[in-house]
Amino acid sequence: MNRIGKNVTERLAALEEYLAARQRRASAKSAAYHAGVMLALLAAATAAGYLFHGFALRETDIAIMYLLAVLLTARLTDGYLYGFLASLLAAFLFNFLFTEPFAFSVDTQRYIVPFLIMVLAALITSTLTTQARENALEAREKEAGAKILYTLTTRLTEAEDIRDIAAIATGAISDMLSSNAGCLCFDENGKPEGTFIQQVSPKKQVRREVTAAEAEALRGRTAGGEPAGTAGSEFYDWPVYGRDTILGLIRVPQKDAKGLKEPQVRLLQAMIESTALAMDRLRAARQKIKFNEEIAQERYRGTLLRSISHDLRTPLSGIMGTSEMLLDMTEKEDQRYPLMEGIHKDAHWLHSLVENILSLTRLQDGKLMLNKQEEAAEEVIGAAVRHISRRYPEYEIAVDVPEELLLVPMDAKLIEQVLVNLLDNAAKHTAPQEEIRVSVIKDEEKSCAVFSVRDSGEGIAPEELANIFRTFYTSPVKHADAQPGIGLGLAICDAAVKAHGGSITACNRGDRPGAELTFTLPLEVKDDEFI
């Protein structure tokens, strides 16, 4: 055994010796043995009675000797039967041998009461003695089991990984059962590992391979979540279940598992529960460390993005302003005009990217306060369309708004950025001659405003629908002339809409090729809605 201390070994060996000794006593004390003990004690009481009778002692002194024989019979034999028989025989012998007329008779009133008292006393004493002995044996078993569990739990807390826990549990269970038990661990996905550890001698453990067929059979047997042991070709397997999934299997050879007694099974189950708690605790600690590392990485990444974005805003603003001035000062027929137009377009794209990064980091850090006011939906849409039209003048964007004024509680600047990002995404995937349409309607039943942006591009692949709102996710399907992106626009839309208490979804159009992105904003504002 690799990691079980000397103290654990001694206690497990003591329990093993105790259980083995008890089993030997139970097999040796046959019916003939118990009957011989009872008859020997009654014969000794009879001999003592004749001795007392020779000294002319009273019958009560002789009766006490028989009572002592009954007490000793109850103490030295198992169960209630022999104590009960001893009490009846003692009463018979006392009445027959030492009371007149020296024959079995209870007619004489002088001996009726002593006879009844002796029988009752013998029965009560036999019952109490037997119960006391059984309670003492049960207490010793529980004490030994508690010591084993305490020592096992103490050792499990010192384990550094799952394999250490498996080795400790394997050694403890093997010693308790006097068997070559094993432990097979499962990974976080509920699949068995390729090897399992098994005890082959009191001080040696080995790792054995698990074949693909055996692994598949084990998954099938443990899929139902049954807590009891299941029989395989070589082992009885007891599953080790955690809070959410199976953690491993305790494997006991079939020849040893079939001979387990009820106390051993109870102790084995308790040891399995202790092992499960240790494995669960270790996995939870690892997940917490991993989660903290991911949080730290996100924090560092957000800090880096903010720093870079702030450093780029000033020069980009200068480039945009200068390029725009040069465009105004240059004729379109000039060969330099397309170069300056490209500089202005790329600078504008970089500026939008920087603003998106800053907005996303503010949303993720919870530092962006919502300034909710009732705004006209058509004005917010109009501002977003004008912004996109300046960037993509070759596109015609259709707008559908209700005839009556629709006031929606929102942070107008943030929702305008959402619409700009959605329209920008639509333009990237739609040819200039194709349709881009933005609309808003009022949903009376759900008490919300429904905004929709539809394009006429290639649409969204089914496997991408669940990922397009993830940060830094970009679709591999793009228009040939589309401006490259880094996957922040839709992530910002998702965060901003959810900050307003709404929802955003994406799907493919049903009437023609293209995608449709829809988001909702509630028409009722709450005072505590801010980020």
Side-chain angles (χ1 to χ4, degrees):
M1 187 167 44
N2 294 334
R3 295 179 176 269
I4 301 296
K6 182 178 180 180
N7 191 22
V8 181
T9 306
E10 291 177 351
R11 290 178 178 175
L12 290 171
L15 178 63
E16 178 184 347
E17 182 180 355
Y18 166 71
L19 293 175
R22 185 182 176 192
Q23 185 176 4
R24 288 195 299 269
R25 289 198 304 269
S27 60
K29 292 181 179 179
S30 60
Y33 173 80
H34 293 305
V37 171
M38 178 188 66
L39 294 176
L41 291 172
L42 290 176
T46 302
Y50 275 113
L51 181 63
F52 291 172
H53 187 71
F55 287 102
L57 296 179
R58 296 174 300 175
E59 290 86 347
T60 54
D61 297 327
I62 300 174
I64 290 175
M65 294 302 300
Y66 279 108
L67 184 58
L68 178 60
V70 171
L71 294 175
L72 292 176
T73 300
R75 173 66 181 85
L76 299 177
T77 58
D78 291 338
Y80 302 95
L81 176 62
Y82 295 99
F84 176 73
L85 291 177
S87 63
L88 293 180
L89 289 175
F92 174 79
L93 291 172
F94 174 73
N95 182 271
F96 183 82
L97 298 175
F98 299 104
T99 61
E100 295 179 357
F102 301 105
F104 184 73
S105 174
V106 292
D107 294 336
T108 306
Q109 296 182 356
R110 177 182 174 185
Y111 297 106
I112 291 179
V113 174
F115 171 75
L116 293 176
I117 292 175
M118 182 176 177
V119 172
L120 291 175
L123 289 175
I124 294 172
T125 304
S126 177
T127 301
L128 293 176
T129 304
T130 303
Q131 289 180 347
R133 184 174 60 252
E134 292 181 352
N135 291 337
L137 292 174
E138 184 178 357
R140 290 178 62 185
E141 288 181 354
K142 290 182 177 180
E143 180 184 4
K147 288 181 179 179
I148 289 176
L149 288 176
Y150 174 77
T151 308
L152 174 64
T153 304
T154 302
R155 299 300 300 167
L156 288 174
T157 57
E158 301 174 359
E160 297 180 356
D161 56 30
I162 296 294
R163 291 197 170 188
D164 283 347
I165 293 176
I168 292 172
T170 298
I173 293 173
S174 296
D175 281 352
M176 189 270 290
L177 299 179
S178 298
S179 173
N180 293 331
C183 182
L184 171 63
C185 296
F186 282 54
D187 60 21
E188 294 182 355
N189 298 321
K191 296 181 179 179
E193 294 184 350
T195 61
F196 71 96
I197 193 168
Q198 185 180 13
Q199 195 84 20
V200 294
S201 68
K203 295 184 179 181
K204 183 179 179 181
Q205 294 178 342
V206 297
R207 298 204 70 86
R208 293 179 53 184
E209 291 187 1
V210 179
T211 63
E214 186 181 8
E216 187 65 28
L218 289 173
R219 282 198 296 269
R221 293 208 307 266
T222 57
E226 294 294 333
T230 54
S233 59
E234 182 180 357
F235 298 98
Y236 261 74
D237 296 318
W238 274 268
V240 182
Y241 286 110
R243 290 172 295 180
D244 304 320
T245 184
I246 185 170
L247 303 174
L249 292 175
I250 297 298
R251 320 197 75 184
V252 180
Q254 284 200 25
K255 61 181 180 62
D256 299 321
K258 292 178 180 179
L260 292 181
K261 305 298 182 181
E262 185 178 352
Q264 291 176 306
V265 174
R266 289 198 302 265
L267 184 55
L268 174 61
Q269 291 174 343
M271 296 174 76
I272 291 175
E273 291 177 1
S274 297
T275 304
L277 288 174
M279 290 183 173
D280 244 349
R281 182 171 58 250
L282 188 60
R283 282 195 177 181
R286 286 185 174 180
Q287 290 176 354
K288 184 178 180 180
I289 293 173
K290 183 179 179 182
F291 180 71
N292 290 336
E293 290 176 351
E294 291 176 352
I295 291 177
Q297 290 176 356
E298 288 294 329
R299 187 181 298 113
Y300 295 148
R301 183 170 64 177
T303 302
L304 178 62
L305 289 175
R306 281 193 299 272
S307 300
I308 295 175
S309 300
H310 280 294
D311 292 341
L312 290 176
R313 289 178 77 181
T314 301
L316 283 175
S317 298
I319 294 172
M320 289 175 59
T322 303
S323 61
E324 190 173 358
M325 290 177 58
L326 292 174
L327 284 173
D328 293 338
M329 296 168 58
T330 306
E331 297 293 335
K332 291 186 178 181
E333 293 78 11
D334 195 323
Q335 295 180 353
R336 293 170 295 182
Y337 188 88
L339 297 177
M340 288 181 285
E341 187 179 29
I343 293 172
H344 182 268
K345 185 177 181 180
D346 289 341
H348 194 280
W349 175 78
L350 286 172
H351 188 270
S352 299
L353 178 62
V354 168
E355 291 297 327
N356 280 339
I357 292 174
L358 289 174
S359 298
L360 181 62
T361 55
R362 291 193 193 102
L363 286 168
Q364 290 179 340
D365 294 344
K367 295 180 179 180
L368 183 63
M369 296 287 295
L370 291 185
N371 182 21
K372 276 192 176 183
Q373 295 182 4
E374 288 193 343
E375 303 284 350
E378 61 182 70
E379 293 183 3
V380 177
I381 291 177
V385 170
R386 287 192 296 272
H387 184 92
I388 288 296
S389 296
R390 288 195 298 270
R391 183 175 178 185
Y392 300 100
E394 67 275 19
Y395 284 85
E396 290 290 337
I397 300 176
V399 179
D400 296 326
V401 295
E403 294 183 358
E404 58 182 19
L405 184 64
L406 176 59
L407 296 177
V408 183
M410 69 173 84
D411 186 320
K413 184 177 179 181
L414 197 57
I415 296 302
E416 180 182 338
Q417 185 175 357
V418 170
L419 289 168
V420 168
N421 287 344
L422 294 180
L423 289 169
D424 181 75
N425 185 73
K428 289 178 181 178
H429 296 85
T430 304
Q433 67 274 12
E434 297 292 341
E435 178 191 55
I436 296 177
R437 182 173 295 273
V438 57
S439 63
V440 61
I441 61 173
K442 182 179 181 180
D443 190 333
E444 297 283 357
E445 182 179 352
K446 297 182 179 180
S447 186
C448 65
V450 182
F451 295 79
S452 177
V453 175
R454 287 169 286 180
D455 62 45
S456 301
E458 303 87 348
I460 306 172
E463 62 272 14
E464 296 177 10
L465 286 172
N467 299 318
I468 63 172
F469 294 108
R470 288 172 48 194
T471 306
F472 299 111
Y473 178 81
T474 57
S475 173
V477 181
K478 296 179 185 269
H479 191 270
D481 299 326
Q483 186 74 35
I486 62 172
L488 287 178
L490 294 182
I492 292 173
C493 296
D494 181 63
V497 169
K498 288 181 178 178
H500 282 75
S503 61
I504 185 169
T505 58
C507 64
N508 290 310
R509 296 180 63 171
D511 56 338
R512 58 181 299 177
E516 180 177 1
L517 287 94
T518 305
F519 69 91
T520 62
L521 296 178
L523 295 176
E524 298 179 0
V525 64
K526 298 179 181 179
D527 295 336
D528 58 347
E529 282 189 357
F530 62 89
I531 297 183

